[in-house]
Amino acid sequence: FIVEGLGAIILAFVFIPDFGIVKGIYYSIFHSISAFCNAGFDNLGSNSLQDYATNPTINLAVAFLIMSGSLGFAVWIDLIQLIRRYIKDRPRNWKLAWRPFSNQSRLVLISTGCLLLGGTLLAWLLEMDNSKTIGTLNVWQQLLVSFFQTVTMRTAGFATISYTNADFSTNLLFMIQMIIGGGPGGTAGGIKVTTASIMFLLFKSELSVNSSVVFRNRIISNKTVLQAFTV
């Protein structure tokens, strides 16, 4: 409720001037809940959020809501406890506050960061010359649109570009992101970033001729690897 309420307040700064007080408030609440729940439903018509493709308020607020729900509630519990430890103990070494952080939360945050960065750059490189999508925008607007597509295609379903006008290779990238999805225990779909990460670690261990799958000096059990492979 706190995250969705904050998101609704931010969205209201755009939707109320555009649609009036009553409809603007309704749209703000509706889209905030839809984004946090990674539902991807909007009531703005067939263009979805394309009219706000270069609006940083809409893009960043909706992206934040999507990511908030897709990280998984276990990760949020770890993050809240981390903040509480830091406020209470004020450790001189920031690394000490991270020690109780679970490996699952670390894996989710690291893999999510890599997917967001890599997906944004790839989408930008693939579409930067496409005048039907982002080719006519300046660099910062292109990066904003590419970032939003990377966030929403992985876990939600909003759109600020027309995917029928996107390059085939870009849509293939989006499909892969949709398969991966978000973190376990959250509102996102997909096979989960942890499953994809374990597959990557398995691939890495095979290339390095390592008999075990390791993350942060911890061996991931064969049962977990087999479950991920089965998924």
Side-chain angles (χ1 to χ4, degrees):
F1 284 132
I2 292 173
V3 175
E4 290 173 347
L6 179 62
I9 292 173
I10 296 173
L11 293 176
F13 282 101
V14 177
F15 286 147
I16 289 179
D18 286 355
F19 301 103
I21 295 178
V22 176
K23 186 176 284 187
I25 292 175
Y26 168 67
Y27 279 6
S28 301
I29 295 174
F30 182 93
H31 291 94
S32 181
I33 295 173
S34 178
F36 182 82
C37 293
N38 281 251
F41 294 122
D42 65 78
N43 48 14
L44 299 174
S46 59
N47 286 336
S48 188
L49 297 176
Q50 291 181 45
D51 293 338
Y52 300 97
T54 58
N55 186 308
T57 302
I58 295 294
N59 278 263
L60 296 179
V62 173
F64 170 75
L65 287 163
I66 293 171
M67 290 187 292
S68 297
S70 67
L71 283 179
F73 297 108
V75 177
W76 273 112
I77 291 172
D78 272 355
L79 287 172
I80 291 171
Q81 291 177 345
L82 172 68
I83 294 171
R84 286 176 176 173
R85 280 195 302 271
Y86 185 75
I87 294 174
K88 180 180 179 181
D89 301 330
R90 294 284 182 178
R92 295 180 180 179
N93 188 348
W94 175 248
K95 292 182 179 180
L96 295 176
W98 284 84
R99 282 187 176 178
F101 215 62
S102 70
N103 271 344
Q104 173 176 309
S105 294
R106 292 175 189 267
L107 191 61
V108 169
L109 291 175
I110 292 172
S111 55
T112 298
C114 292
L115 287 170
L116 288 176
L117 179 60
T120 300
L121 291 176
L122 281 174
W124 174 58
L125 291 172
L126 291 170
E127 290 295 316
M128 62 188 299
D129 295 324
N130 187 347
S131 60
K132 294 182 180 180
T133 53
I134 65 174
T136 58
L137 306 177
N138 63 48
V139 174
W140 296 113
Q141 290 174 336
Q142 289 180 348
L143 289 172
L144 178 65
V145 174
S146 300
F147 168 75
F148 185 82
Q149 303 315 310
T150 299
V151 174
T152 188
M153 291 303 291
R154 275 187 47 243
T155 60
F158 298 103
T160 56
I161 64 171
S162 174
Y163 299 118
T164 57
N165 294 327
D167 189 78
F168 172 80
S169 56
T170 308
N171 284 327
L172 178 61
L173 171 66
F174 292 155
M175 290 177 190
I176 295 172
Q177 293 170 344
M178 290 169 67
I179 291 173
I180 295 174
T187 60
I191 64 172
K192 308 304 181 185
V193 290
T194 45
T195 301
S197 297
I198 290 175
M199 290 297 92
F200 172 78
L201 293 172
L202 174 62
F203 182 70
K204 181 181 176 182
S205 68
E206 288 295 324
L207 289 179
S208 59
V209 198
N210 192 336
S211 59
S212 301
V213 178
V214 179
F215 175 68
R216 291 187 58 82
N217 299 320
R218 299 275 185 91
I219 294 177
I220 299 176
S221 68
N222 290 334
K223 180 181 178 181
T224 301
V225 175
L226 181 60
Q227 287 174 338
F229 187 78
T230 301
V231 171

mmCIF file with all atom_site columns, all heavy atoms in Angstrom, residues 150-165:
data_model
loop_
_atom_site.group_PDB
_atom_site.id
_atom_site.type_symbol
_atom_site.label_atom_id
_atom_site.label_alt_id
_atom_site.label_comp_id
_atom_site.label_asym_id
_atom_site.label_entity_id
_atom_site.label_seq_id
_atom_site.pdbx_PDB_ins_code
_atom_site.Cartn_x
_atom_site.Cartn_y
_atom_site.Cartn_z
_atom_site.occupancy
_atom_site.B_iso_or_equiv
_atom_site.pdbx_formal_charge
_atom_site.auth_seq_id
_atom_site.auth_comp_id
_atom_site.auth_asym_id
_atom_site.auth_atom_id
_atom_site.pdbx_PDB_model_num
ATOM 1   N N   . THR A 1 150 ? 12.873 -2.485  -21.330 1.00 0.00 ? 150 THR A N   1
ATOM 2   C CA  . THR A 1 150 ? 13.579 -3.582  -20.669 1.00 0.00 ? 150 THR A CA  1
ATOM 3   C C   . THR A 1 150 ? 12.911 -3.949  -19.358 1.00 0.00 ? 150 THR A C   1
ATOM 4   O O   . THR A 1 150 ? 12.786 -5.132  -19.019 1.00 0.00 ? 150 THR A O   1
ATOM 5   C CB  . THR A 1 150 ? 15.048 -3.176  -20.405 1.00 0.00 ? 150 THR A CB  1
ATOM 6   O OG1 . THR A 1 150 ? 15.678 -2.903  -21.656 1.00 0.00 ? 150 THR A OG1 1
ATOM 7   C CG2 . THR A 1 150 ? 15.798 -4.283  -19.692 1.00 0.00 ? 150 THR A CG2 1
ATOM 8   N N   . VAL A 1 151 ? 12.443 -2.944  -18.616 1.00 0.00 ? 151 VAL A N   1
ATOM 9   C CA  . VAL A 1 151 ? 11.760 -3.200  -17.347 1.00 0.00 ? 151 VAL A CA  1
ATOM 10  C C   . VAL A 1 151 ? 10.403 -3.852  -17.576 1.00 0.00 ? 151 VAL A C   1
ATOM 11  O O   . VAL A 1 151 ? 10.089 -4.893  -16.995 1.00 0.00 ? 151 VAL A O   1
ATOM 12  C CB  . VAL A 1 151 ? 11.584 -1.884  -16.550 1.00 0.00 ? 151 VAL A CB  1
ATOM 13  C CG1 . VAL A 1 151 ? 10.732 -2.138  -15.299 1.00 0.00 ? 151 VAL A CG1 1
ATOM 14  C CG2 . VAL A 1 151 ? 12.927 -1.310  -16.156 1.00 0.00 ? 151 VAL A CG2 1
ATOM 15  N N   . THR A 1 152 ? 9.585  -3.240  -18.438 1.00 0.00 ? 152 THR A N   1
ATOM 16  C CA  . THR A 1 152 ? 8.209  -3.705  -18.594 1.00 0.00 ? 152 THR A CA  1
ATOM 17  C C   . THR A 1 152 ? 8.107  -5.033  -19.333 1.00 0.00 ? 152 THR A C   1
ATOM 18  O O   . THR A 1 152 ? 7.243  -5.860  -19.023 1.00 0.00 ? 152 THR A O   1
ATOM 19  C CB  . THR A 1 152 ? 7.361  -2.631  -19.311 1.00 0.00 ? 152 THR A CB  1
ATOM 20  O OG1 . THR A 1 152 ? 5.980  -3.028  -19.275 1.00 0.00 ? 152 THR A OG1 1
ATOM 21  C CG2 . THR A 1 152 ? 7.792  -2.450  -20.762 1.00 0.00 ? 152 THR A CG2 1
ATOM 22  N N   . MET A 1 153 ? 8.989  -5.283  -20.294 1.00 0.00 ? 153 MET A N   1
ATOM 23  C CA  . MET A 1 153 ? 8.897  -6.530  -21.059 1.00 0.00 ? 153 MET A CA  1
ATOM 24  C C   . MET A 1 153 ? 9.330  -7.732  -20.237 1.00 0.00 ? 153 MET A C   1
ATOM 25  O O   . MET A 1 153 ? 8.877  -8.849  -20.487 1.00 0.00 ? 153 MET A O   1
ATOM 26  C CB  . MET A 1 153 ? 9.728  -6.441  -22.331 1.00 0.00 ? 153 MET A CB  1
ATOM 27  C CG  . MET A 1 153 ? 9.185  -5.478  -23.364 1.00 0.00 ? 153 MET A CG  1
ATOM 28  S SD  . MET A 1 153 ? 7.483  -5.857  -23.853 1.00 0.00 ? 153 MET A SD  1
ATOM 29  C CE  . MET A 1 153 ? 7.714  -7.375  -24.756 1.00 0.00 ? 153 MET A CE  1
ATOM 30  N N   . ARG A 1 154 ? 10.197 -7.509  -19.242 1.00 0.00 ? 154 ARG A N   1
ATOM 31  C CA  . ARG A 1 154 ? 10.636 -8.633  -18.421 1.00 0.00 ? 154 ARG A CA  1
ATOM 32  C C   . ARG A 1 154 ? 9.526  -9.117  -17.498 1.00 0.00 ? 154 ARG A C   1
ATOM 33  O O   . ARG A 1 154 ? 9.421  -10.314 -17.238 1.00 0.00 ? 154 ARG A O   1
ATOM 34  C CB  . ARG A 1 154 ? 11.854 -8.229  -17.583 1.00 0.00 ? 154 ARG A CB  1
ATOM 35  C CG  . ARG A 1 154 ? 13.181 -8.381  -18.302 1.00 0.00 ? 154 ARG A CG  1
ATOM 36  C CD  . ARG A 1 154 ? 14.348 -8.127  -17.378 1.00 0.00 ? 154 ARG A CD  1
ATOM 37  N NE  . ARG A 1 154 ? 14.200 -8.818  -16.126 1.00 0.00 ? 154 ARG A NE  1
ATOM 38  C CZ  . ARG A 1 154 ? 14.089 -8.192  -14.950 1.00 0.00 ? 154 ARG A CZ  1
ATOM 39  N NH1 . ARG A 1 154 ? 14.115 -6.891  -14.877 1.00 0.00 ? 154 ARG A NH1 1
ATOM 40  N NH2 . ARG A 1 154 ? 13.965 -8.892  -13.844 1.00 0.00 ? 154 ARG A NH2 1
ATOM 41  N N   . THR A 1 155 ? 8.707  -8.187  -16.998 1.00 0.00 ? 155 THR A N   1
ATOM 42  C CA  . THR A 1 155 ? 7.802  -8.603  -15.929 1.00 0.00 ? 155 THR A CA  1
ATOM 43  C C   . THR A 1 155 ? 6.394  -8.052  -16.013 1.00 0.00 ? 155 THR A C   1
ATOM 44  O O   . THR A 1 155 ? 5.531  -8.506  -15.279 1.00 0.00 ? 155 THR A O   1
ATOM 45  C CB  . THR A 1 155 ? 8.385  -8.177  -14.558 1.00 0.00 ? 155 THR A CB  1
ATOM 46  O OG1 . THR A 1 155 ? 8.534  -6.747  -14.543 1.00 0.00 ? 155 THR A OG1 1
ATOM 47  C CG2 . THR A 1 155 ? 9.739  -8.796  -14.324 1.00 0.00 ? 155 THR A CG2 1
ATOM 48  N N   . ALA A 1 156 ? 6.124  -7.049  -16.851 1.00 0.00 ? 156 ALA A N   1
ATOM 49  C CA  . ALA A 1 156 ? 4.786  -6.450  -16.827 1.00 0.00 ? 156 ALA A CA  1
ATOM 50  C C   . ALA A 1 156 ? 4.103  -6.535  -18.187 1.00 0.00 ? 156 ALA A C   1
ATOM 51  O O   . ALA A 1 156 ? 3.588  -7.593  -18.541 1.00 0.00 ? 156 ALA A O   1
ATOM 52  C CB  . ALA A 1 156 ? 4.875  -4.990  -16.365 1.00 0.00 ? 156 ALA A CB  1
ATOM 53  N N   . GLY A 1 157 ? 4.070  -5.464  -18.968 1.00 0.00 ? 157 GLY A N   1
ATOM 54  C CA  . GLY A 1 157 ? 3.374  -5.513  -20.243 1.00 0.00 ? 157 GLY A CA  1
ATOM 55  C C   . GLY A 1 157 ? 2.926  -4.167  -20.764 1.00 0.00 ? 157 GLY A C   1
ATOM 56  O O   . GLY A 1 157 ? 2.185  -4.110  -21.744 1.00 0.00 ? 157 GLY A O   1
ATOM 57  N N   . PHE A 1 158 ? 3.325  -3.088  -20.101 1.00 0.00 ? 158 PHE A N   1
ATOM 58  C CA  . PHE A 1 158 ? 3.045  -1.756  -20.650 1.00 0.00 ? 158 PHE A CA  1
ATOM 59  C C   . PHE A 1 158 ? 3.927  -1.535  -21.877 1.00 0.00 ? 158 PHE A C   1
ATOM 60  O O   . PHE A 1 158 ? 4.890  -2.260  -22.100 1.00 0.00 ? 158 PHE A O   1
ATOM 61  C CB  . PHE A 1 158 ? 3.344  -0.665  -19.612 1.00 0.00 ? 158 PHE A CB  1
ATOM 62  C CG  . PHE A 1 158 ? 2.497  -0.756  -18.373 1.00 0.00 ? 158 PHE A CG  1
ATOM 63  C CD1 . PHE A 1 158 ? 3.019  -1.270  -17.198 1.00 0.00 ? 158 PHE A CD1 1
ATOM 64  C CD2 . PHE A 1 158 ? 1.177  -0.328  -18.382 1.00 0.00 ? 158 PHE A CD2 1
ATOM 65  C CE1 . PHE A 1 158 ? 2.252  -1.347  -16.053 1.00 0.00 ? 158 PHE A CE1 1
ATOM 66  C CE2 . PHE A 1 158 ? 0.391  -0.408  -17.246 1.00 0.00 ? 158 PHE A CE2 1
ATOM 67  C CZ  . PHE A 1 158 ? 0.926  -0.929  -16.076 1.00 0.00 ? 158 PHE A CZ  1
ATOM 68  N N   . ALA A 1 159 ? 3.603  -0.502  -22.653 1.00 0.00 ? 159 ALA A N   1
ATOM 69  C CA  . ALA A 1 159 ? 4.390  -0.239  -23.860 1.00 0.00 ? 159 ALA A CA  1
ATOM 70  C C   . ALA A 1 159 ? 4.473  1.261   -24.115 1.00 0.00 ? 159 ALA A C   1
ATOM 71  O O   . ALA A 1 159 ? 3.471  1.970   -23.999 1.00 0.00 ? 159 ALA A O   1
ATOM 72  C CB  . ALA A 1 159 ? 3.767  -0.926  -25.063 1.00 0.00 ? 159 ALA A CB  1
ATOM 73  N N   . THR A 1 160 ? 5.648  1.753   -24.444 1.00 0.00 ? 160 THR A N   1
ATOM 74  C CA  . THR A 1 160 ? 5.812  3.143   -24.875 1.00 0.00 ? 160 THR A CA  1
ATOM 75  C C   . THR A 1 160 ? 6.271  3.210   -26.332 1.00 0.00 ? 160 THR A C   1
ATOM 76  O O   . THR A 1 160 ? 6.548  4.286   -26.841 1.00 0.00 ? 160 THR A O   1
ATOM 77  C CB  . THR A 1 160 ? 6.820  3.893   -23.979 1.00 0.00 ? 160 THR A CB  1
ATOM 78  O OG1 . THR A 1 160 ? 8.064  3.197   -23.972 1.00 0.00 ? 160 THR A OG1 1
ATOM 79  C CG2 . THR A 1 160 ? 6.304  4.024   -22.563 1.00 0.00 ? 160 THR A CG2 1
ATOM 80  N N   . ILE A 1 161 ? 6.369  2.051   -26.986 1.00 0.00 ? 161 ILE A N   1
ATOM 81  C CA  . ILE A 1 161 ? 6.611  1.987   -28.429 1.00 0.00 ? 161 ILE A CA  1
ATOM 82  C C   . ILE A 1 161 ? 5.666  0.944   -29.013 1.00 0.00 ? 161 ILE A C   1
ATOM 83  O O   . ILE A 1 161 ? 5.087  0.125   -28.288 1.00 0.00 ? 161 ILE A O   1
ATOM 84  C CB  . ILE A 1 161 ? 8.069  1.603   -28.781 1.00 0.00 ? 161 ILE A CB  1
ATOM 85  C CG1 . ILE A 1 161 ? 8.393  0.185   -28.292 1.00 0.00 ? 161 ILE A CG1 1
ATOM 86  C CG2 . ILE A 1 161 ? 9.058  2.610   -28.244 1.00 0.00 ? 161 ILE A CG2 1
ATOM 87  C CD1 . ILE A 1 161 ? 9.744  -0.338  -28.789 1.00 0.00 ? 161 ILE A CD1 1
ATOM 88  N N   . SER A 1 162 ? 5.500  0.989   -30.327 1.00 0.00 ? 162 SER A N   1
ATOM 89  C CA  . SER A 1 162 ? 4.700  -0.033  -31.009 1.00 0.00 ? 162 SER A CA  1
ATOM 90  C C   . SER A 1 162 ? 5.617  -1.191  -31.389 1.00 0.00 ? 162 SER A C   1
ATOM 91  O O   . SER A 1 162 ? 6.555  -1.020  -32.166 1.00 0.00 ? 162 SER A O   1
ATOM 92  C CB  . SER A 1 162 ? 4.043  0.551   -32.257 1.00 0.00 ? 162 SER A CB  1
ATOM 93  O OG  . SER A 1 162 ? 3.384  -0.467  -32.982 1.00 0.00 ? 162 SER A OG  1
ATOM 94  N N   . TYR A 1 163 ? 5.344  -2.366  -30.837 1.00 0.00 ? 163 TYR A N   1
ATOM 95  C CA  . TYR A 1 163 ? 6.218  -3.515  -31.091 1.00 0.00 ? 163 TYR A CA  1
ATOM 96  C C   . TYR A 1 163 ? 6.102  -4.029  -32.526 1.00 0.00 ? 163 TYR A C   1
ATOM 97  O O   . TYR A 1 163 ? 6.979  -4.742  -33.002 1.00 0.00 ? 163 TYR A O   1
ATOM 98  C CB  . TYR A 1 163 ? 5.916  -4.630  -30.091 1.00 0.00 ? 163 TYR A CB  1
ATOM 99  C CG  . TYR A 1 163 ? 6.165  -4.204  -28.664 1.00 0.00 ? 163 TYR A CG  1
ATOM 100 C CD1 . TYR A 1 163 ? 5.136  -4.175  -27.734 1.00 0.00 ? 163 TYR A CD1 1
ATOM 101 C CD2 . TYR A 1 163 ? 7.428  -3.785  -28.256 1.00 0.00 ? 163 TYR A CD2 1
ATOM 102 C CE1 . TYR A 1 163 ? 5.358  -3.761  -26.428 1.00 0.00 ? 163 TYR A CE1 1
ATOM 103 C CE2 . TYR A 1 163 ? 7.658  -3.368  -26.962 1.00 0.00 ? 163 TYR A CE2 1
ATOM 104 C CZ  . TYR A 1 163 ? 6.618  -3.358  -26.051 1.00 0.00 ? 163 TYR A CZ  1
ATOM 105 O OH  . TYR A 1 163 ? 6.847  -2.929  -24.767 1.00 0.00 ? 163 TYR A OH  1
ATOM 106 N N   . THR A 1 164 ? 5.018  -3.654  -33.203 1.00 0.00 ? 164 THR A N   1
ATOM 107 C CA  . THR A 1 164 ? 4.900  -4.028  -34.618 1.00 0.00 ? 164 THR A CA  1
ATOM 108 C C   . THR A 1 164 ? 5.896  -3.260  -35.470 1.00 0.00 ? 164 THR A C   1
ATOM 109 O O   . THR A 1 164 ? 6.242  -3.711  -36.571 1.00 0.00 ? 164 THR A O   1
ATOM 110 C CB  . THR A 1 164 ? 3.478  -3.743  -35.140 1.00 0.00 ? 164 THR A CB  1
ATOM 111 O OG1 . THR A 1 164 ? 3.168  -2.359  -34.933 1.00 0.00 ? 164 THR A OG1 1
ATOM 112 C CG2 . THR A 1 164 ? 2.460  -4.588  -34.394 1.00 0.00 ? 164 THR A CG2 1
ATOM 113 N N   . ASN A 1 165 ? 6.371  -2.119  -34.969 1.00 0.00 ? 165 ASN A N   1
ATOM 114 C CA  . ASN A 1 165 ? 7.353  -1.318  -35.698 1.00 0.00 ? 165 ASN A CA  1
ATOM 115 C C   . ASN A 1 165 ? 8.792  -1.614  -35.262 1.00 0.00 ? 165 ASN A C   1
ATOM 116 O O   . ASN A 1 165 ? 9.731  -1.115  -35.876 1.00 0.00 ? 165 ASN A O   1
ATOM 117 C CB  . ASN A 1 165 ? 7.085  0.174   -35.495 1.00 0.00 ? 165 ASN A CB  1
ATOM 118 C CG  . ASN A 1 165 ? 5.772  0.613   -36.117 1.00 0.00 ? 165 ASN A CG  1
ATOM 119 O OD1 . ASN A 1 165 ? 5.355  0.085   -37.137 1.00 0.00 ? 165 ASN A OD1 1
ATOM 120 N ND2 . ASN A 1 165 ? 5.102  1.570   -35.489 1.00 0.00 ? 165 ASN A ND2 1
#
